[in-house]
Amino acid sequence: MDNLGKMDSLKPLWQRISDNVRSSVTEQTYATWFEPISPLSLTDFVITIEVPSKFYYEWINSHYKNIILASIKKETGKDVQLSFNIAGKNKGEVSLQKTPINGVSPNGKSKDYDRGSKLNSRYVFKTFVGGPNNQFARAAALSVAKSPGQTSFNPLLIYGGVGLGKTHLMQAIGNNVLSEQINAKVKYTTSEKFTTDFVSSIKNNKTSEFSSRYRECDVLLVDDAQFLQKKEQTQEQFFHTFNELYQRGKQIVLTTDRHPSELYGLKDRLVSRFQSGLTVDIQKPNLETRIAILQSKAEQDSLNVPNEITELIAKNIKDNIRVMEGALVKLLAYSSLFNSDISLDLARKVLKETLGGDEIKALNIEDIIRGVSGATNVSENKLISRGRTMEVAQARQIAMYLCREYVGTSLGDIGLHFGGRDHSTVIHACRNVEKKMANDSTFNIKVQSVKSSIGA
């Protein structure tokens, strides 16, 4: 390998190495993980390649390292090392070009985790997928991020269920502040960590140091504040920390799993402080938003996942974005580890395991039309006709709403099944149903009954 140092030998050498790898994995695996790789540089001891993202690097390092190294040795006859460089705008910050394949960065620290502010750099507004469920919360967070402590949104409290994006949105505020104000002091913590630090400060007679650490920041981000419940001393300390920051015009952002008025075990004056600014909620995302979230995650990691796969996952996991994204990662893991193509059958297997064995529903538009007809006593012909009586129109809107929620096909396709209506009509119908479900308990019960009748 006398000419290994010559750049003109790099591409053909890497092509031969890639061909060896290709013979050891499935075509789907090769297309997903190896086709996006580009060779960058070559020396007598190191081949440097470029991968689309850190996720790619970690996955290849964990699952294909031995295959690649064996292929390199086969072609070169030497134990040449493989080095990675991650593509992207912040190339210099995340580059692993001089990192051996064991994955340790030059300074020994993760590039995705800011140890000063405790913020994850992946949590930014750009990667937060907006939808009707979080539109208001995202707008409020953006306003706070641009002018921390200068708006009436102080404190900003974001509440909602587990895995809906509260932490992402909160940390996006902190990351945005740090990117625009280089000297800003941003501190992210959880209520549990706040409690632990406080108890430790009492034990070591360092309460003044504890107070200073939390009260000297410009932006304080406290995640899962509901866990302050029934911890009276910690609540007292947090109350004074809150007051000190608020009086000095510093920004406070909180997240909880439910509205502050439902946080039993918190002192009234603390609940009052929580509600003194702006309280916004993040609801469960609708189908389109869930699909967009999965597609966004795939794009971030430069992965090509068929649309029918993302739709199937989004249709069956509705309540927790983390679980939904985890199912996508698990699907890719299955595909790679068992050298099998990504297919609907494999996706259903992964979903069945993720959902704890629950049956995966595969409803189509005809199923829903049939089910809504039976539950509302409106004939199938009337549902897809141009009839506009109140009874028929309402049943039709419910059917359209359920098609969007459970079938996952396009809005235009749904409209075609209902007398050739366009996508705007479907959107209008879905919004009407959602609004009425939120404001009319009787109607909400009716829709839930229809869901049950079609096995949704």
Side-chain angles (χ1 to χ4, degrees), residues 239-359:
F239 176 80
H240 293 300
T241 298
F242 185 108
N243 280 348
E244 173 72 15
L245 292 172
Y246 183 80
Q247 292 300 325
R248 290 171 47 224
K250 305 303 182 181
Q251 182 67 50
I252 302 164
V253 183
L254 310 164
T255 71
T256 60
D257 62 354
R258 50 195 178 278
H259 193 277
S261 63
E262 299 174 0
L263 295 175
Y264 308 110
L266 283 183
K267 293 182 178 181
D268 290 342
R269 63 178 183 171
L270 196 55
V271 173
S272 176
R273 292 295 190 280
F274 282 5
Q275 299 186 87
S276 62
L278 178 65
T279 300
V280 295
D281 70 326
I282 295 182
Q283 300 171 359
K284 296 174 184 177
N286 60 24
L287 180 63
E288 285 88 350
T289 305
R290 296 197 300 273
I291 292 173
I293 289 169
L294 288 174
Q295 291 175 343
S296 174
K297 180 170 179 59
E299 287 173 9
Q300 286 172 40
D301 294 317
S302 301
L303 303 176
N304 183 22
V305 182
N307 289 336
E308 63 266 23
I309 301 297
T310 56
E311 289 179 6
L312 180 68
I313 295 173
K315 282 191 293 181
N316 285 279
I317 303 177
K318 308 177 183 67
D319 300 336
N320 193 314
I321 293 171
R322 289 194 200 108
V323 174
M324 186 175 69
E325 292 179 337
L328 179 62
V329 173
K330 189 173 184 179
L331 174 63
L332 296 171
Y334 260 99
S335 172
S336 299
L337 294 174
F338 296 104
N339 290 328
S340 59
D341 293 339
I342 295 176
S343 64
L344 283 172
D345 286 340
L346 182 60
R348 290 191 180 100
K349 176 181 179 179
V350 168
L351 280 170
K352 189 172 183 179
E353 293 179 1
T354 302
L355 298 173
D358 291 345
E359 183 182 357

Side-chain angles (χ1 to χ4, degrees), residues 228-245:
L228 292 172
Q229 294 173 106
K230 298 182 179 179
K231 298 171 182 174
E232 293 190 4
Q233 257 193 298
T234 306
Q235 286 184 42
E236 187 71 18
Q237 182 64 225
F238 187 74
F239 176 80
H240 293 300
T241 298
F242 185 108
N243 280 348
E244 173 72 15
L245 292 172

